[in-house]
């Protein structure tokens, strides 16, 4: 039986090629993802580990938890602690570290590093061992700065040039006095690092006389653990905590691995969908192969082969195909991993140098996935083949499914579909968070149910295309009959495309609806023309609000100032605003009381008010950051949203309780409304600062919806992959169908159907099957998009369903294109059949 299985594999090389390609694609994406993420993770971990070469023990302030009415705080690390650390037995040196956000502009005036990876720090003394100088000297005073070598290389800056940068608002223009090298992973990834002298860094980052960390190096022969023990004895345990350099490197490696896991999971979703769709193709292929060899298998049964041996024979074929496809997929995956790594370099996404990492786990996963998916897909056809009685197989009585099996299949499909719809509908009535799990369960049940019911659905839906197919004469009528002749095969072929289109249609509906709701929210909640904020989301200097208030054409401004507080023993964040202007800058719907922010009067969003049991007129005691308490009165309750929520109070009430106030945003209204001219004036008033964003309502809503757009673009890539696999499936099905119907095609040729008619028949059959899958996928996608929107609508009052008719039409055209492309080779093959040989074919 083993030799028989191998002979069958070799005898059907062309037919099995499509199956190999389907498995290969899935395995290639899985292994390519693992190789790419492993290589990136290894490179970043090695790079970050080098950054701790000059740190044996790091001393940091120990955060003090909030207690009673006191807000949590971080003790200060002073110069005295540095002196104490340097005197510890076994310590060679102690360096004070200051760090913070520093936006550096290139010569073109644009921000380097996108905001989130542009950092600043201090250069210790005149020869800091952490940052070896390659050119120039150490900075002295507020007008001098160092930049890293990679930034200098990318921007063209040299020693002596003036650079524009910003820390929290105002633009600075220091002179570059030196260039240094660093193993900082953020710099390697395209960010920048600017270094000031210690006093300047402390002043710029709002930490005069204090440090973020103290790095201690050990004397030769002293271990990190021994140095840590000495520091623990010498330094106050209630103020600081110590960590060895090895532990820091380990924690950093875990952090990098965790960050990479998100990318890995996202890419593996693509691979998983490809494998899932490919499973249908593999199962379809083996079902048809088994059906075409029915008499052969019956003969084996007749000469003594058992059911188990027949099943084993088919599974051995699947094993051979799976191994070949898995090995080829692994090789292709390694190439994909290397290609993605190279692509990041061409897109200016700088990554640290490192080898291509192919772990044993990657190899084992690729082989296991390829073999298991293939054998699982082939298991059901092999069992079905083994159950066919020899006499029935030789007389082809098994060819049509029994009424009993069809009734059972349709019953199971109906039950799954009904359960799925019911669970999804129940989930739409639940809260956004509570309804996620039921919604996912309902979606899975419904997709399974529709897949099981697809053979039943194929007849009425394909029959609906009959009037159009009649326009093509005999070829059209034959195409319709052929597409419903074997409903199970048609269903398995169409399902591959259905699943991909279900996902992409559902996400497109959600993304369009969310964009519309966010636009409505911004228009309804904000009366300001512009919202000003830092590019990296960090706080603005209070001086920005003052500069904007003085700008030409500005009629009203208000900062959005965050402040931690304690209310009823819990930490609550307050938002300080300009009480006299906030009503003019916002248009929040008030559900109780009045929107009045002045003195001790505050307004609260509905969820916060509900959690505390407040309403208009309620009073409560707040403990500020400095520990002082004040009695505040709720003047009104408003509907919170993604843009505004929490407790709003006048900045005058906060001012005396904050030693270092921070503004997260500044709302601005201008006399002439939003325009390019007004925006230019505001940007110039801030010194054309690259670190500050000036956004109108549309910019703001686009930024909020950006993550949905990114997810949608990723799913469009998924659709492209699913389309490739679906094309292979349709080609495979049609090619086998042509082979199966060779005798029939020969008879049609003999009675007058020309080659052009045969080709048209096959093309129309492919087109009908693909459109059938497309209609099912788009229909399911719209349903899931609506249901998910109902779930989101419970937390977003402005949510409104938007059906993207134009894109859905494009998706349907795409399904049609799949059918046309997939039919090219099978139609050509059918048209070239020799009619006499075909008639004589077994």
């Amino acid at each position: 039986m083993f030799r028989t299985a191998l002979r069958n594999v070799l005898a059907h090389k062309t037919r099995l090629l499509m199956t190999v390609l389907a498995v290969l694609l899935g395995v290639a994406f899985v292994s390519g993802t693992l190789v790419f993420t492993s290589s990136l993770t290894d490179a970043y971990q090695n790079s970050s580990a080098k950054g701790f070469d000059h740190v044996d023990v790091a001393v940091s302030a120990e955060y003090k938890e909030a207690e009673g009415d006191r807000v949590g705080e971080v003790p200060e690390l002073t110069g005295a602690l540095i002196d104490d650390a340097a005197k510890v037995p076994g310590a060679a040196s102690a360096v004070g570290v200051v760090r913070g956000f520093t936006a550096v502009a290139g010569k073109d005036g644009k921000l380097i590093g996108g905001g989130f990876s542009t950092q600043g720090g201090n250069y210790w003394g005149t020869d800091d061992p952490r940052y070896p100088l390659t050119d120039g000297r150490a900075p002295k005073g507020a007008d001098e700065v160092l930049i890293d070598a990679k930034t200098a290389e990318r921007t063209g800056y040299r020693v002596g040039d003036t650079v524009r940068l910003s820390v929290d608002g105002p633009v600075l223009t220091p002179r570059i006095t030196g260039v240094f090298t660093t193993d900082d992973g953020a710099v390697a990834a395209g960010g920048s690092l600017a270094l000031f002298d210690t006093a300047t860094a402390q002043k710029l980052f709002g930490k005069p006389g204090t440090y973020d960390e103290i790095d201690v190096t050990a004397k030769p022969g002293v271990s990190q653990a021994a140095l840590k023990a000495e520091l623990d004895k010498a330094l106050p345990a209630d103020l600081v905590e110590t960590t060895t350099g090895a532990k820091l490197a380990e924690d950093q490696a875990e952090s990098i691995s965790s960050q990479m896991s998100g990318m890995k999971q996202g890419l593996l979703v693509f691979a998983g969908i490809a494998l899932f769709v490919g499973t249908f193709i593999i199962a379809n292929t083996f079902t048809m192969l088994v059906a075409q060899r029915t008499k052969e298998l019956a003969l084996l049964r007749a000469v003594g082969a058992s059911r188990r041996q027949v099943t084993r024979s088919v599974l051995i074929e699947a094993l051979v195909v799976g191994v070949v496809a898995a090995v080829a997929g692994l090789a292709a995956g390694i190439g994909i991993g290397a290609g993605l790594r190279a692509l990041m370099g061409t897109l200016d996404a700088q990554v640290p140098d490192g080898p291509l990492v192919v772990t044993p786990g990657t190899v084992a996963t690729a082989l296991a996935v390829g073999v298991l998916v293939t054998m699982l897909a082939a298991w059901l056809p092999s069992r079905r083949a083994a159950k066919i009685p020899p006499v029935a197989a030789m007389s082809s009585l098994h060819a049509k499914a029994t009424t009993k099996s069809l009734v059972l299949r349709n019953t199971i499909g109906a039950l799954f579909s009904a359960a799925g719809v019911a669970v999804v509908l129940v989930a739409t009535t639940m809260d956004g968070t509570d309804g996620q799990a039921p919604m996912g369960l309902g979606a899975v049940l419904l997709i399974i149910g529709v897949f099981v019911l697809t053979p039943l659905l194929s007849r009425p839906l394909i029959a609906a295309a009959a009037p159009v197919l009649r326009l093509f004469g005999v070829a059209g009528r034959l195409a319709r009959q052929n597409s419903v002749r074997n409903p199970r095969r048609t269903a398995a072929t169409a399902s591959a495309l259905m699943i991909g289109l279900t996902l992409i249609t559902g996400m497109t509906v959600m993304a369009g609806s969310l964009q519309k709701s966010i636009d409505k929210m911004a228009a309804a909640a904000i009366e300001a023309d512009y919202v000003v904020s830092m590019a990296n989301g960090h706080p603005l200097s209070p001086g920005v609000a003052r500069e904007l208030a003085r700008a030409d054409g500005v009629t009203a401004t208000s900062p959005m100032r965050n402040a931690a507080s304690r209310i009823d023993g819990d930490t609550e964040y307050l938002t300080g605003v300009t009480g006299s202007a906030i009503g003019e800058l916002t248009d929040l719907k008030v559900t109780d009381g009045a929107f009045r922010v002045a003195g001790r009067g505050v307004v609260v969003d509905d969820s916060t008010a509900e959690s505390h049991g407040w309403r208009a007129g309620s009073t409560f005691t707040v403990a500020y950051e400095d520990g002082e308490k004040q009695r505040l009165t709720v003047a009104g309750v408003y509907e919170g949203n993604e843009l505004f929520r929490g407790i709003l109070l006048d900045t005058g009430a906060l001012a005396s309780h904050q030693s270092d106030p921070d503004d997260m945003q500044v709302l601005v209204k201008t006399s002439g409304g939003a325009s390019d001219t007004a925006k230019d004036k505001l940007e110039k008033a801030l010194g054309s600062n690259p670190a500050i964003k000036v956004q109108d309502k549309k910019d703001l809503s686009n930024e909020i919806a950006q993550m949905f757009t990114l997810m949608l673009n990723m799913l469009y890539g998924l659709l492209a992959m699913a389309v490739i696999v679906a094309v292979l499936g349709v080609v495979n099905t049609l090619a086998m169908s042509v082979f199966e119907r060779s005798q029939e095609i020969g008879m049609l040729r003999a009675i007058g159907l020309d080659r052009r008619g045969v080709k048209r028949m096959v093309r129309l059959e492919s087109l009908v099957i693909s459109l059938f899958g497309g209609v099912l996928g788009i229909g399911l996608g719209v349903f899931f998009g609506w249901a998910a929107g109902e779930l989101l609508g419970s937390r977003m009052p402005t949510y409104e369903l938007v059906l993207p008719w134009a894109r859905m039409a494009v998706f349907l055209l795409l399904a049609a294109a799949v059918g046309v492309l997939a039919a090219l080779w099978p139609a050509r093959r059918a048209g070239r059949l020799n009619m006499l040989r075909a008639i004589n074919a077994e």
Side-chain angles (χ1 to χ4, degrees):
M1 294 302 296
F2 181 73
R3 289 196 299 271
T4 301
L6 290 180
R7 180 181 62 79
N8 285 328
V9 171
L10 296 175
H12 302 98
K13 293 186 291 290
T14 304
R15 287 179 246 164
L16 289 173
L17 176 62
M18 297 300 177
T19 304
V20 170
L21 285 174
V23 181
L24 185 151
L25 276 175
V27 172
F29 274 102
V30 170
S31 55
T33 295
L34 295 176
V35 169
F36 174 64
T37 54
S38 296
S39 300
L40 236 61
T41 301
D42 182 74
Y44 277 116
Q45 286 177 348
N46 290 338
S47 176
S48 66
K50 292 178 182 177
F52 298 107
D53 287 347
H54 299 287
V55 182
D56 288 313
V57 178
V59 180
S60 57
E62 186 171 10
Y63 177 74
K64 291 185 177 180
E65 297 288 343
E67 295 180 3
D69 293 326
R70 294 289 300 180
V71 175
E73 59 183 5
V74 179
E76 294 181 340
L77 299 181
T78 62
L81 284 174
I82 296 179
D83 294 338
D84 292 341
K87 297 174 183 176
V88 165
S93 64
V95 173
V97 178
V98 184
R99 61 173 69 96
F101 169 69
T102 302
V104 178
K107 290 188 175 181
D108 58 358
K110 295 181 179 180
L111 180 65
I112 299 170
F116 291 92
S117 54
T118 53
Q119 297 297 313
N122 68 311
Y123 189 85
W124 188 258
T126 58
D127 187 17
D128 193 328
R130 300 172 299 167
Y131 307 111
L133 290 172
T134 59
D135 190 16
R137 59 168 177 81
K140 296 178 181 178
D143 294 328
E144 296 184 352
V145 69
L146 302 179
I147 63 170
D148 65 271
K150 287 188 177 294
T151 297
E153 181 182 347
R154 287 194 293 265
T155 60
Y157 281 129
R158 296 181 179 180
V159 173
D161 289 345
T162 298
V163 61
R164 293 172 58 83
L165 55 83
S166 173
V167 171
D168 60 359
V171 176
L172 306 175
T173 54
R175 184 172 60 87
I176 298 173
T177 62
V179 176
F180 62 92
T181 59
T182 177
D183 292 313
D184 191 308
V187 173
S192 64
L193 179 61
L195 299 179
F196 308 89
D197 67 55
T198 298
T200 301
Q202 289 174 326
K203 181 180 178 181
L204 290 175
F205 301 136
K207 303 160 187 172
T210 64
Y211 303 85
D212 293 297
E213 186 177 285
I214 300 171
D215 290 345
V216 186
T217 55
K219 291 179 179 178
V222 178
S223 68
Q224 292 184 352
L227 180 58
K228 180 181 183 302
E230 292 294 337
L231 287 167
D232 288 339
K233 294 177 185 177
L235 302 180
D238 60 330
L239 293 180
V240 302
E241 58 181 342
T242 58
T243 311
T244 63
K247 183 66 169 59
L248 288 173
E250 181 183 335
D251 292 344
Q252 182 75 2
E254 289 181 3
S255 174
I256 291 171
S257 181
S258 175
Q259 292 170 8
M260 288 295 173
S261 68
M263 179 190 295
K264 182 185 294 186
Q265 290 172 5
L267 292 173
L268 285 176
V269 167
F270 285 71
I273 295 296
L275 283 175
F276 185 60
V277 173
T279 301
F280 293 112
I281 298 173
I282 301 163
N284 207 15
T285 300
F286 278 97
T287 298
M288 297 176 70
L289 286 175
V290 169
Q292 291 173 9
R293 298 200 334 259
T294 300
K295 291 185 178 181
E296 174 190 327
L297 295 175
L299 183 60
L300 289 174
R301 292 287 311 280
V303 298
S306 66
R307 288 185 177 184
R308 182 175 297 178
Q309 286 177 313
V310 171
T311 301
R312 193 181 302 154
S313 172
V314 178
L315 289 178
I316 288 172
E317 292 181 47
L319 175 64
V320 173
V321 172
V323 169
V324 172
V327 172
L330 175 61
I334 294 173
I336 289 174
L340 288 173
R341 176 76 181 269
L343 180 63
M344 291 190 71
T346 60
L347 295 176
D348 293 330
Q350 302 293 329
V351 296
D353 295 329
L356 198 66
V357 178
V358 183
T359 64
T362 298
V363 176
T365 300
L367 295 176
V369 165
V371 173
L372 287 177
V373 167
T374 308
M375 294 192 70
L376 284 173
W379 178 70
L380 188 59
S382 69
R383 286 191 68 227
R384 192 178 296 154
K387 288 182 177 180
I388 301 171
V391 175
M394 288 184 178
S395 60
S396 298
L397 294 177
H398 70 289
K400 293 185 179 180
T402 64
T403 303
K404 181 180 178 182
S405 68
L406 289 174
V407 170
L408 179 63
R409 176 175 182 138
N410 293 338
T411 302
I412 293 173
L415 290 174
F416 268 89
S417 298
V421 171
V423 173
V424 168
L425 291 178
V426 169
T428 60
T429 64
M430 302 172 71
D431 181 67
T433 304
D434 297 335
Q436 290 178 2
M439 180 75 72
L441 175 62
V444 171
L445 290 174
L446 182 54
I447 288 177
I448 293 173
V450 171
F451 171 67
V452 175
L453 282 176
T454 305
L456 178 65
L457 297 172
S458 64
R459 289 186 177 276
L461 288 178
I462 292 177
V468 178
L469 292 175
R470 288 196 193 101
L471 299 176
F472 296 92
V474 175
R477 289 196 294 273
L478 289 172
R480 186 183 69 81
Q481 293 170 3
N482 289 333
S483 59
V484 296
R485 174 185 294 183
N486 191 333
R488 287 181 173 176
R489 185 172 64 204
T490 298
T493 305
S495 296
L497 191 58
M498 178 192 78
I499 293 171
L501 283 176
T502 295
L503 290 171
I504 193 64
T505 303
M507 286 303 301
T508 301
V509 170
M510 282 184 60
S513 301
L514 282 169
Q515 181 68 63
K516 180 70 176 291
S517 64
I518 292 169
D519 287 345
K520 287 176 63 177
M521 183 192 302
I526 299 179
E527 285 294 320
D529 296 315
Y530 294 100
V531 177
V532 180
S533 60
M534 291 292 283
N536 67 336
H538 283 201
L540 288 160
S541 165
V544 173
R546 291 192 291 270
E547 289 292 334
L548 289 169
R550 292 194 293 265
D552 183 31
V554 173
T555 58
T557 64
S558 173
M560 302 289 287
R561 182 169 298 172
N562 276 12
S565 71
R566 298 283 286 177
I567 301 174
D568 297 332
D570 296 324
T571 299
E572 290 276 3
Y573 281 89
L574 311 174
T575 302
V577 297
T578 302
S580 59
I582 192 64
E584 184 181 352
L585 297 166
T586 60
D587 186 18
L588 299 172
K589 184 178 179 181
V590 178
T591 58
D592 186 20
F595 193 84
R596 185 175 61 255
V597 181
R600 298 186 179 185
V602 302
V603 292
V604 185
D605 73 292
D606 45 8
S607 61
T608 302
E610 183 180 354
S611 65
H612 287 281
W614 297 337
R615 54 188 177 84
S618 298
T619 60
F620 61 93
T621 301
V622 60
Y624 294 106
E625 293 179 16
D626 59 359
E628 291 191 21
K629 298 179 181 180
Q630 189 176 40
R631 196 75 177 166
L632 301 178
T633 301
V634 178
V637 178
Y638 66 92
E639 282 189 2
N641 53 52
E642 298 299 319
L643 303 176
F644 295 96
R645 63 177 66 249
I647 303 171
L648 307 184
L649 77 163
D650 193 84
T651 51
L654 278 178
S656 60
H657 304 289
Q658 286 187 295
S659 59
D660 186 22
D662 290 324
D663 296 339
M664 297 306 297
Q665 296 173 330
V666 179
L667 304 180
V668 181
K669 193 172 184 63
T670 57
S671 56
S675 66
D676 291 340
T677 302
K679 187 174 183 178
D680 288 341
K681 285 183 179 179
L682 293 179
E683 290 176 343
K684 289 178 179 178
L686 297 173
S688 299
N689 194 322
I692 297 179
K693 297 184 296 185
V694 179
Q695 298 173 295
D696 59 19
K697 295 179 186 179
K698 187 65 177 175
D699 295 333
L700 197 63
S701 62
N702 287 342
E703 184 177 64
I704 296 173
Q706 190 173 9
M707 62 177 178
F708 301 109
T709 304
L710 177 62
M711 187 182 301
L712 187 63
N713 290 335
M714 290 178 64
L715 281 172
Y716 282 144
L718 183 151
L719 174 63
M721 187 168 60
V723 165
I724 293 172
V725 179
V727 167
L728 291 176
V730 178
V731 171
N732 210 13
T733 299
L734 290 175
M736 291 189 173
S737 180
V738 167
F739 178 83
E740 189 180 81
R741 304 199 313 262
S742 295
Q743 192 175 56
E744 176 188 319
I745 292 172
M747 290 295 294
L748 290 172
R749 290 289 313 282
I751 61 176
L753 188 64
D754 59 11
R755 291 186 175 183
R756 182 176 297 177
V758 171
K759 291 181 181 179
R760 186 180 297 123
M761 176 186 70
V762 175
R763 292 193 191 107
L764 289 173
E765 180 183 349
S766 174
L767 182 62
V768 167
I769 292 174
S770 297
L771 285 175
F772 169 56
V775 169
L776 282 181
I778 292 172
L780 282 174
V782 169
F783 175 72
F784 290 138
W786 166 82
E790 289 295 305
L791 198 62
L792 286 172
S794 64
R795 304 180 65 181
M796 189 178 289
T798 57
Y799 186 85
E800 176 185 340
L801 180 66
V802 175
L803 293 180
W805 295 106
R807 291 198 180 187
M808 289 193 293
V810 171
F811 296 156
L812 199 59
L813 289 174
L814 184 62
V818 168
V820 172
L821 291 174
L824 291 177
W825 179 64
R828 185 169 178 268
R829 182 182 178 187
R832 295 177 64 183
L833 281 176
N834 183 291
M835 70 178 72
L836 295 179
R837 290 179 183 174
I839 292 172
N840 290 327
E842 277 291 330

